[in-house]
Amino acid sequence: MSVRNVLKYGTQSLREPSKEVHKVSKKISDLVHDLLETMYAKNGVGLAAPQIGVNYRVFVIDVSSNDEPLHPLVFINPKIIKKSGAIISNEGCLSFPEAYTDVRRYKNVTVKALDINGRPFIMEANGGTLLTRAIQHEFDHLDGILFIDHCVNRFDADGVLAKYDLPPIDPDKLISEPELEAELNND
Ligand code: ZN
Protein backbone atom coordinates (compact mmCIF):
# COMPACT_ATOMS: atom_id res chain seq x y z
CA MET A 1 0.00 0.00 0.00
CA SER A 2 1.22 3.46 -0.73
CA VAL A 3 0.26 7.09 -1.03
CA ARG A 4 -0.03 7.76 -4.75
CA ASN A 5 0.43 10.89 -6.77
CA VAL A 6 -2.91 12.61 -7.49
CA LEU A 7 -3.21 13.76 -11.12
CA LYS A 8 -3.94 17.43 -11.57
CA TYR A 9 -6.64 18.97 -13.73
CA GLY A 10 -5.22 19.32 -17.23
CA THR A 11 -4.01 15.69 -17.32
CA GLN A 12 -5.75 14.01 -20.25
CA SER A 13 -6.50 10.70 -18.50
CA LEU A 14 -8.81 12.50 -16.03
CA ARG A 15 -11.10 13.03 -19.03
CA GLU A 16 -11.15 9.38 -20.10
CA PRO A 17 -13.92 6.94 -19.18
CA SER A 18 -12.94 4.11 -16.84
CA LYS A 19 -13.42 0.37 -17.36
CA GLU A 20 -15.70 -1.92 -15.36
CA VAL A 21 -14.03 -4.23 -12.86
CA HIS A 22 -14.58 -7.87 -13.87
CA LYS A 23 -13.30 -9.44 -10.68
CA VAL A 24 -12.51 -7.95 -7.29
CA SER A 25 -9.01 -9.45 -7.35
CA LYS A 26 -5.95 -8.69 -5.24
CA LYS A 27 -5.04 -6.02 -7.82
CA ILE A 28 -8.36 -4.27 -7.13
CA SER A 29 -8.12 -4.58 -3.36
CA ASP A 30 -4.57 -3.15 -3.52
CA LEU A 31 -5.97 -0.30 -5.63
CA VAL A 32 -8.69 0.35 -3.01
CA HIS A 33 -6.09 0.46 -0.23
CA ASP A 34 -3.93 2.90 -2.18
CA LEU A 35 -6.99 5.08 -2.81
CA LEU A 36 -7.86 5.12 0.88
CA GLU A 37 -4.31 5.78 1.99
CA THR A 38 -3.93 8.60 -0.54
CA MET A 39 -7.32 10.13 0.32
CA TYR A 40 -6.48 10.18 4.05
CA ALA A 41 -2.95 11.51 3.42
CA LYS A 42 -4.38 14.43 1.39
CA ASN A 43 -7.34 15.06 3.74
CA GLY A 44 -9.85 14.38 0.98
CA VAL A 45 -13.48 13.32 1.38
CA GLY A 46 -13.33 11.07 -1.69
CA LEU A 47 -10.97 9.81 -4.36
CA ALA A 48 -11.59 7.98 -7.62
CA ALA A 49 -9.18 5.55 -9.29
CA PRO A 50 -8.64 7.70 -12.43
CA GLN A 51 -7.27 10.44 -10.16
CA ILE A 52 -4.28 8.20 -9.41
CA GLY A 53 -3.97 7.22 -13.06
CA VAL A 54 -5.89 3.93 -12.92
CA ASN A 55 -8.94 3.94 -15.20
CA TYR A 56 -11.10 1.42 -13.36
CA ARG A 57 -14.61 2.08 -12.01
CA VAL A 58 -13.65 2.33 -8.36
CA PHE A 59 -13.88 5.14 -5.83
CA VAL A 60 -13.68 5.63 -2.07
CA ILE A 61 -15.35 8.11 0.26
CA ASP A 62 -15.07 8.93 3.95
CA VAL A 63 -17.31 11.69 5.27
CA SER A 64 -16.50 11.19 8.96
CA SER A 65 -15.24 14.31 10.74
CA ASN A 66 -11.85 14.58 12.44
CA ASP A 67 -13.13 13.67 15.90
CA GLU A 68 -14.93 10.54 14.66
CA PRO A 69 -13.47 7.11 13.88
CA LEU A 70 -12.63 6.54 10.21
CA HIS A 71 -15.52 5.24 8.14
CA PRO A 72 -14.21 4.24 4.71
CA LEU A 73 -16.77 3.48 2.00
CA VAL A 74 -15.74 1.57 -1.12
CA PHE A 75 -17.68 1.61 -4.39
CA ILE A 76 -16.78 -0.75 -7.24
CA ASN A 77 -18.74 -0.61 -10.56
CA PRO A 78 -21.22 1.90 -9.07
CA LYS A 79 -24.50 2.78 -10.76
CA ILE A 80 -26.73 5.66 -9.68
CA ILE A 81 -30.15 4.02 -9.82
CA LYS A 82 -32.29 6.88 -8.47
CA LYS A 83 -31.86 10.64 -8.25
CA SER A 84 -34.14 13.54 -7.35
CA GLY A 85 -34.25 17.10 -6.10
CA ALA A 86 -31.57 19.73 -6.62
CA ILE A 87 -29.09 21.69 -4.54
CA ILE A 88 -26.12 23.96 -5.04
CA SER A 89 -22.94 22.53 -3.63
CA ASN A 90 -19.63 24.33 -3.06
CA GLU A 91 -17.06 21.75 -4.13
CA GLY A 92 -13.39 21.20 -4.52
CA CYS A 93 -11.37 18.21 -5.70
CA LEU A 94 -7.94 16.76 -4.91
CA SER A 95 -7.15 17.18 -8.63
CA PHE A 96 -7.84 20.93 -8.29
CA PRO A 97 -5.73 22.00 -5.31
CA GLU A 98 -7.47 24.77 -3.36
CA ALA A 99 -10.01 25.66 -6.07
CA TYR A 100 -13.66 25.64 -4.97
CA THR A 101 -16.76 26.63 -6.90
CA ASP A 102 -20.55 26.21 -6.79
CA VAL A 103 -22.01 23.33 -8.79
CA ARG A 104 -25.48 21.84 -9.31
CA ARG A 105 -26.20 18.44 -7.80
CA TYR A 106 -29.12 16.16 -7.11
CA LYS A 107 -30.35 16.33 -3.53
CA ASN A 108 -31.02 12.59 -3.21
CA VAL A 109 -29.29 9.66 -4.87
CA THR A 110 -29.42 5.90 -4.55
CA VAL A 111 -26.32 4.02 -5.62
CA LYS A 112 -25.75 0.36 -6.26
CA ALA A 113 -22.19 -1.00 -6.20
CA LEU A 114 -19.90 -3.81 -5.10
CA ASP A 115 -17.94 -3.59 -1.86
CA ILE A 116 -14.30 -4.57 -1.28
CA ASN A 117 -15.38 -8.23 -1.01
CA GLY A 118 -17.22 -8.08 -4.33
CA ARG A 119 -20.63 -8.15 -2.61
CA PRO A 120 -23.39 -5.96 -4.03
CA PHE A 121 -24.98 -3.30 -1.84
CA ILE A 122 -27.41 -0.42 -2.26
CA MET A 123 -26.92 2.89 -0.48
CA GLU A 124 -29.39 5.75 -0.25
CA ALA A 125 -27.97 9.21 0.40
CA ASN A 126 -30.59 11.89 0.84
CA GLY A 127 -30.95 15.52 1.85
CA GLY A 128 -27.99 16.96 -0.06
CA THR A 129 -25.55 15.76 2.61
CA LEU A 130 -21.80 15.64 2.06
CA LEU A 131 -22.18 11.93 1.27
CA THR A 132 -24.90 12.61 -1.33
CA ARG A 133 -22.69 15.13 -3.07
CA ALA A 134 -19.49 13.09 -2.77
CA ILE A 135 -21.12 10.08 -4.43
CA GLN A 136 -22.10 12.20 -7.44
CA HIS A 137 -18.69 13.89 -7.59
CA GLU A 138 -16.69 10.65 -7.45
CA PHE A 139 -19.06 8.81 -9.78
CA ASP A 140 -18.49 11.49 -12.41
CA HIS A 141 -14.73 10.90 -12.34
CA LEU A 142 -15.36 7.40 -13.71
CA ASP A 143 -16.85 8.96 -16.85
CA GLY A 144 -14.19 11.64 -17.23
CA ILE A 145 -16.56 14.31 -15.89
CA LEU A 146 -15.18 16.91 -13.47
CA PHE A 147 -17.04 19.01 -10.91
CA ILE A 148 -16.42 22.22 -12.83
CA ASP A 149 -18.50 20.80 -15.71
CA HIS A 150 -21.52 21.32 -13.40
CA CYS A 151 -20.58 24.89 -12.41
CA VAL A 152 -23.37 27.35 -11.69
CA ASN A 153 -21.39 30.27 -13.16
CA ARG A 154 -18.61 29.51 -15.62
CA PHE A 155 -17.10 32.99 -15.29
CA ASP A 156 -16.79 32.68 -11.52
CA ALA A 157 -15.34 29.19 -11.98
CA ASP A 158 -12.82 30.47 -14.54
CA GLY A 159 -11.73 33.17 -12.11
CA VAL A 160 -11.08 30.56 -9.43
CA LEU A 161 -9.17 28.28 -11.83
CA ALA A 162 -6.99 31.17 -13.02
CA LYS A 163 -6.21 32.14 -9.44
CA TYR A 164 -4.75 28.68 -8.79
CA ASP A 165 -2.94 28.42 -12.16
CA LEU A 166 -5.28 25.71 -13.41
CA PRO A 167 -6.47 25.46 -17.03
CA PRO A 168 -9.73 27.29 -17.85
CA ILE A 169 -13.22 25.79 -18.22
CA ASP A 170 -13.62 23.74 -21.38
CA PRO A 171 -16.91 25.06 -22.80
CA ASP A 172 -17.48 21.79 -24.70
CA LYS A 173 -17.55 19.91 -21.41
CA LEU A 174 -20.09 22.11 -19.64
CA ILE A 175 -23.20 20.09 -18.82
CA SER A 176 -26.61 21.54 -19.54
CA GLU A 177 -28.88 20.76 -16.58
CA PRO A 178 -32.30 22.27 -17.29
CA GLU A 179 -34.07 19.95 -14.81
CA LEU A 180 -31.76 20.88 -11.96
CA GLU A 181 -31.93 24.56 -12.91
CA ALA A 182 -35.72 24.52 -12.97
CA GLU A 183 -35.83 22.81 -9.60
CA LEU A 184 -33.37 25.31 -8.11
CA ASN A 185 -35.37 28.26 -9.46
CA ASN A 186 -38.53 26.91 -7.81
CA ASP A 187 -37.00 27.00 -4.34
ZN1 ZN B 1 -12.71 15.02 -7.63
Side-chain angles (χ1 to χ4, degrees):
M1 289 198 296
S2 50
V3 173
R4 306 275 290 263
N5 180 42
V6 176
L7 300 180
K8 235 169 128 178
Y9 173 51
T11 309
Q12 181 49 35
S13 69
L14 285 175
R15 285 301 193 181
E16 284 160 13
S18 291
K19 294 187 286 279
E20 291 268 320
V21 170
H22 291 301
K23 184 170 179 261
V24 184
S25 57
K26 167 119 185 356
K27 185 174 83 172
I28 297 298
S29 67
D30 287 350
L31 166 65
V32 166
H33 288 116
D34 281 0
L35 283 169
L36 288 168
E37 208 174 321
T38 307
M39 175 181 74
Y40 290 128
K42 316 260 181 203
N43 290 314
V45 167
L47 188 65
Q51 291 180 276
I52 60 167
V54 180
N55 283 83
Y56 273 119
R57 301 188 76 82
V58 179
F59 64 75
V60 297
I61 289 177
D62 190 332
V63 292
S64 61
S65 55
N66 288 338
D67 52 353
E68 289 171 340
L70 297 181
H71 187 57
L73 300 171
V74 175
F75 300 79
I76 299 170
N77 293 346
K79 306 241 179 326
I80 292 181
I81 56 174
K82 228 165 97 181
K83 48 195 184 185
S84 64
I87 43 152
I88 289 178
S89 167
N90 189 253
E91 291 184 19
C93 176
L94 290 177
S95 296
F96 294 70
E98 296 179 82
Y100 286 79
T101 197
D102 283 344
V103 299
R104 294 181 208 97
R105 294 292 185 195
Y106 290 95
K107 193 174 185 178
N108 312 298
V109 294
T110 303
V111 60
K112 189 179 161 184
L114 302 178
D115 67 15
I116 182 90
N117 300 307
R119 291 193 201 101
F121 67 94
I122 288 178
M123 184 181 289
E124 248 184 75
N126 296 327
T129 56
L130 183 56
L131 176 62
T132 313
R133 294 175 281 135
I135 288 170
Q136 294 173 77
H137 178 121
E138 301 310 329
F139 180 82
D140 273 351
H141 276 298
L142 309 182
D143 292 318
I145 297 169
L146 301 171
F147 76 109
I148 50 166
D149 304 342
H150 295 277
C151 65
V152 171
N153 183 316
R154 71 172 274 202
F155 302 104
D156 285 354
D158 256 339
V160 173
L161 293 172
K163 188 169 161 205
Y164 294 104
D165 288 327
L166 292 162
I169 293 282
D170 179 346
D172 293 340
K173 303 282 186 194
L174 286 174
I175 301 172
S176 154
E177 300 177 310
E179 275 171 52
L180 289 182
E181 272 184 65
E183 190 109 23
L184 288 166
N185 289 336
N186 281 341
D187 285 349

